[in-house]
Amino acid sequence: MPLVDVRVPNIGDFDNVPVVEIQVKTGDEVKTDDPLITLESDKAAMDVPSPETGKVAEILVGIGDKVSEGSAIIRLEVSTGEAKTESKSGNGKGEDAHAEVPPKPARSSPPEHVVPGSDEPAPPEMKDFGSVHASPSVRRIARELGVDLTKITGTGDKGRITKDDVKRHIALSEGGGGGQGIPEIPAQDFAKYGPIETKPMSRLKKLTGPNLHRAWLNVPHVTNADEADITDLEAYRKTLDETAKAKGYRVTLVAFLLKSAVSALKEYPDVNSSLSPSKDALILKRYYNIGVAVDTPDGLVVPVIRDVDRKGILELSQELTSVSARMRERKITPTDITGSTFSISSLGGIGGTTFTPIVNAPEVAILGAVRAKIEPVWNGATFEPRLMLPLCLSYDHRAIDGAQAARFLRKICDALADVRQLVL
C-alpha cells in the first residue's frame, strides 16, 4: 500500500506553531477526520485531522516542534483506491499533499532537540531568544509580556527558565508596561490547613489566561450597565424558535444581540475600531465581524461570526448553532477565531445580574448579557410586568468616553425593544 505524507492544512496567518500533543502512535488505524496532532497558537488549541483512512506508518514531528502550513506531520499508509494523489498541499506551491513517497526507516520516537551539554531533550530554539533554555510556553509568555529571557537566570533543571522565573523577573523589574513592577502574590502552603487537590488547568485556560491578564493590565477598563425591554422580542423569538427546532437549530437571544450590536456599531463607529500601534489614532473597521464567547468543556472559546450586517436572524441562528457545536467538539480552525471587531459574552443561560467582561484587545469594547427577568415598569399610569435584560458594556477608555459608551449601549437597548429595527 502506498505511503502518503499528511501535511498541516491552512492555519491562517499563524506560522511556526508548536505541537503540544500527538494523539496517535505508529501502527494506529485512523479514519477520515480523526485527530492526529494538536497545535497551540496564540489564540487556541486546534486539532489537525486525518484527511483519509489508513494506518500510521511514521510520526514525523515531536512535542515542541514548530510547524507551519504545508509541514509534513504524519506518514500514512493507505489503500491504493484511497490515496488522494490529486490533492494539493495548503502551502500554495502546487505540491502534491498526498503524493506517494518512498518509505524511510521508521524511527522509534519523534526527533529530540538536545541542548549541548544536556542529557535531556529540550524545545527547539526560538529565533527571538537564541539559545535560551526555556520551554515554548515560557517563551510565549515572555513575548506576550515583553520580557527579555536572555536577562533571566533559570532556576529549573540544568538552568532551564521556568514560568516562576519569568514572574519573579517581572515582579522585580522597575516600572514599564505589560504588568512589570507588580509584586507577585506570595506562595502559600495550603496543605497545612487541610486536605487539598491540585487540578491541572486545561490547555485552553492556560493559553487564554496570559491574554486576559495582558488585556486587563494594558486596557483602562470601564463598564457601563443598562437594561433592555425585550418583552415583545422574546415573544417573537419563541415563535421563530419553534419552527427552527424542527429544522435542527435554535433561535436564541444571541442572534438578536448580534444584530442590535451592528446597528449600534454603524451609528458609533469608534466602538468598531482598534487603537493604532502608536496609540494616537483609531483604526476604524468598515466590516462587522463579531466574536461570541462559547462555553466548552475546556473553557471559553470565542468564534467569530463574519459579516453580521449582511445576515438575517435565521441565518445567524443556524451559524451560531453550527459553530458552537464545532467549538465544543474541538474542531477549531484559525479562521473561526480571528478577525473580530467587537465581542459578545452572554451568561443568560446561566444567570447573574451583572458582570464586567474583559475587553478582547485589540478590540475596544465587549458586550455582556445576563439573565432577563420580569420587573414592574411604570408606563406613565400604572406598573406593568416587562421582561428586562441587563446588559454590560466594558470599553477601553482611551478610545471611548463615558457618554459615548452610554449612548452606544442605549442604542442597543432601543433596538432590542423594537424588533422591527432588527429585521429591516
Side-chain angles (χ1 to χ4, degrees):
M1 291 188 286
L3 296 174
V4 298
D5 282 353
V6 178
R7 300 180 182 275
V8 176
N10 182 356
I11 53 175
D13 297 330
F14 300 111
D15 197 18
N16 292 326
V17 182
V19 177
V20 297
E21 184 178 350
I22 298 175
Q23 303 196 40
V24 294
K25 60 183 182 295
T26 302
D28 281 356
E29 298 282 351
V30 296
K31 298 179 180 179
T32 302
D33 292 333
D34 281 353
L36 299 175
I37 67 170
T38 302
L39 308 179
E40 186 177 81
S41 72
D42 60 353
K43 292 282 187 180
M46 63 191 79
D47 292 334
V48 176
S50 175
E52 50 197 279
T53 299
K55 179 188 290 187
V56 177
E58 187 177 358
I59 299 172
L60 305 177
V61 293
I63 300 295
D65 283 358
K66 300 293 192 302
V67 297
S68 303
E69 181 181 339
S71 300
I73 55 171
I74 298 288
R75 186 152 291 160
L76 204 62
E77 185 178 281
V78 299
S79 63
T80 305
E82 293 184 358
K84 301 177 182 177
T85 56
E86 295 182 359
S87 299
K88 301 298 179 183
S89 72
N91 57 17
K93 297 179 182 178
E95 297 179 1
D96 189 342
H98 305 287
E100 185 173 346
V101 294
K104 291 186 352 184
R107 53 174 187 246
S108 58
S109 61
E112 296 180 343
H113 301 272
V114 181
V115 175
S118 170
D119 294 328
E120 71 171 42
E125 293 185 355
M126 295 288 288
K127 294 180 181 179
D128 50 349
F129 292 128
S131 58
V132 168
H133 192 19
S135 69
S137 61
V138 169
R139 293 171 184 270
R140 185 182 68 246
I141 291 174
R143 291 196 302 273
E144 291 173 346
L145 299 179
V147 175
D148 186 353
L149 289 181
T150 62
K151 297 180 179 180
I152 299 179
T153 300
T155 60
D157 188 31
K158 294 183 173 63
R160 181 188 294 270
I161 298 174
T162 67
K163 292 181 181 179
D164 287 338
D165 294 330
V166 175
K167 293 177 181 178
R168 191 176 302 109
H169 176 81
I170 293 174
L172 296 176
S173 299
E174 296 182 359
Q180 293 190 15
I182 298 177
E184 182 69 18
I185 297 173
Q188 293 190 42
D189 180 11
F190 300 106
K192 67 183 181 181
Y193 303 113
I196 64 171
E197 176 186 358
T198 300
K199 177 184 176 182
M201 296 176 70
S202 68
R203 282 199 313 274
L204 186 57
K205 287 188 176 180
K206 288 190 287 186
L207 180 66
T208 57
N211 291 334
L212 292 170
H213 188 210
R214 177 178 57 188
W216 183 253
L217 291 175
N218 283 281
V219 174
H221 282 73
V222 182
T223 301
N224 187 35
D226 207 333
E227 286 185 322
D229 186 337
I230 62 168
T231 309
D232 297 335
L233 183 152
E234 180 64 6
Y236 178 54
R237 184 199 67 79
K238 287 182 177 179
T239 300
L240 295 178
D241 190 45
E242 284 298 320
T243 303
K245 281 191 290 187
K247 298 180 180 179
Y249 68 97
R250 303 299 301 271
V251 176
T252 68
L253 184 61
V254 175
F256 293 92
L257 290 173
L258 286 166
K259 292 300 290 185
S260 63
V262 166
S263 69
L265 291 170
K266 287 183 175 180
E267 188 166 331
Y268 299 96
D270 286 2
V271 186
N272 201 52
S273 72
S274 290
L275 283 165
S276 66
S278 58
K279 306 297 187 293
D280 60 358
L282 291 180
I283 301 173
L284 304 180
K285 298 154 191 175
R286 304 303 186 187
Y287 53 95
Y288 304 93
N289 299 341
I290 299 183
V292 179
V294 173
D295 188 21
T296 75
D298 293 328
L300 283 179
V301 180
V302 186
V304 179
I305 308 300
R306 302 182 184 280
D307 301 319
V308 175
D309 56 317
R310 303 178 186 177
K311 298 171 182 175
I313 294 296
L314 296 183
E315 186 177 359
L316 289 172
S317 297
Q318 294 176 61
E319 188 170 347
L320 284 167
T321 300
S322 173
V323 75
S324 296
R326 292 205 312 275
M327 297 303 103
R328 294 186 179 100
E329 294 169 2
R330 295 183 63 189
K331 295 180 178 179
I332 305 171
T333 66
T335 54
D336 285 329
I337 56 176
T338 55
S340 59
T341 63
F342 182 77
S343 293
I344 295 175
S345 180
S346 175
L347 302 177
I350 302 172
T353 57
T354 187
F355 74 114
T356 303
I358 295 178
V359 173
N360 186 23
E363 299 166 23
V364 296
I366 180 172
L367 179 68
V370 292
R371 179 177 291 175
K373 61 181 179 179
I374 297 292
E375 294 183 355
V377 177
W378 183 254
N379 63 11
T382 61
F383 285 100
E384 61 177 319
R386 306 294 292 179
L387 184 62
M388 305 301 294
L389 174 68
L391 297 173
C392 316
L393 180 75
S394 291
Y395 57 94
D396 186 334
H397 211 336
R398 296 171 298 179
I400 304 166
D401 59 39
Q404 190 177 32
R407 293 188 182 100
F408 175 85
L409 190 52
R410 177 79 329 238
K411 172 64 179 179
I412 290 179
C413 293
D414 290 342
L416 292 171
D418 184 0
V419 71
R420 293 172 299 179
Q421 296 185 41
L422 303 179
V423 297
L424 291 177

